[in-house]
Amino acid sequence: MHVRDWMSPDPVTAGLDTEVREARRLLSYYGIRHLPVVDRDRVVGMISDRDVRVDEKVLTRLLAGDTQSESRTVEAVMSAPVHTVGPDEDIEAAARLILSRRISALPVVDVDSSLLGLITTTDCLLASLAPRKADA
């Protein structure tokens, strides 16, 4: 089985200039946990729901009227460099990379690093539970 068979194509993305509050809104609106960050169609980072979570310190500052942390861009909080996988990689290889790097999603990119999709731990788990075709 290949990554392309299990990835989510055309994922929601953020740009380098996307504000943290907008990234949080996108994650919530689409019910997703990961946002690839793209610059000129190339993946340059990843944002997770944990990266933009409002913790008690941020909430206290927001309630006091300090919106500076909310207006910063995702570039300040994204994970980079980003680990990626190709669409023709074996799904087990993607699962091993996810486990070894202790991440929960991988952008799927073509040879030019253009984003094609996203593969998650859930996708890998579902693939491992899928019935296998008998070898001919």
Side-chain angles (χ1 to χ4, degrees), residues 94-114:
R96 281 192 291 278
L97 183 57
I98 285 172
L99 287 171
S100 70
R101 298 299 179 182
R102 295 186 174 149
I103 55 178
S104 53
L106 287 169
V108 181
V109 299
D110 63 16
V111 295
D112 297 321
S113 297
S114 294

Side-chain angles (χ1 to χ4, degrees), residues 55-69:
D55 61 20
E56 287 183 41
K57 290 178 186 176
V58 171
L59 185 57
T60 301
R61 288 194 308 263
L62 286 172
L63 292 173
D66 175 13
T67 59
Q68 184 177 4
S69 64

Side-chain angles (χ1 to χ4, degrees), residues 32-48:
I32 55 178
R33 296 182 335 176
H34 310 93
L35 276 177
V37 180
V38 296
D39 182 32
R40 293 181 228 134
D41 296 326
R42 293 216 164 98
V43 179
V44 295
M46 284 288 286
I47 291 289
S48 75

Side-chain angles (χ1 to χ4, degrees), residues 2-124:
H2 296 102
V3 167
R4 77 170 57 254
D5 301 323
W6 293 94
M7 71 180 191
S8 297
D10 302 317
V12 177
T13 63
L16 288 171
D17 59 347
T18 301
E19 291 184 350
V20 168
R21 75 174 117 228
E22 175 62 8
R24 186 180 309 107
R25 188 195 70 75
L26 289 169
L27 290 164
S28 175
Y29 180 81
Y30 289 102
I32 55 178
R33 296 182 335 176
H34 310 93
L35 276 177
V37 180
V38 296
D39 182 32
R40 293 181 228 134
D41 296 326
R42 293 216 164 98
V43 179
V44 295
M46 284 288 286
I47 291 289
S48 75
D49 54 352
R50 284 189 258 168
D51 296 326
V52 297
R53 179 175 46 215
V54 177
D55 61 20
E56 287 183 41
K57 290 178 186 176
V58 171
L59 185 57
T60 301
R61 288 194 308 263
L62 286 172
L63 292 173
D66 175 13
T67 59
Q68 184 177 4
S69 64
E70 289 296 284
S71 62
R72 66 185 167 165
T73 64
V74 296
E75 187 174 15
V77 297
M78 71 182 188
S79 297
V82 64
H83 301 284
T84 62
V85 67
D88 296 320
E89 286 287 328
D90 192 67
I91 193 75
E92 287 86 5
R96 281 192 291 278
L97 183 57
I98 285 172
L99 287 171
S100 70
R101 298 299 179 182
R102 295 186 174 149
I103 55 178
S104 53
L106 287 169
V108 181
V109 299
D110 63 16
V111 295
D112 297 321
S113 297
S114 294
L115 184 64
L116 300 174
L118 195 67
I119 189 91
T120 66
T121 52
T122 301
D123 298 325
C124 292

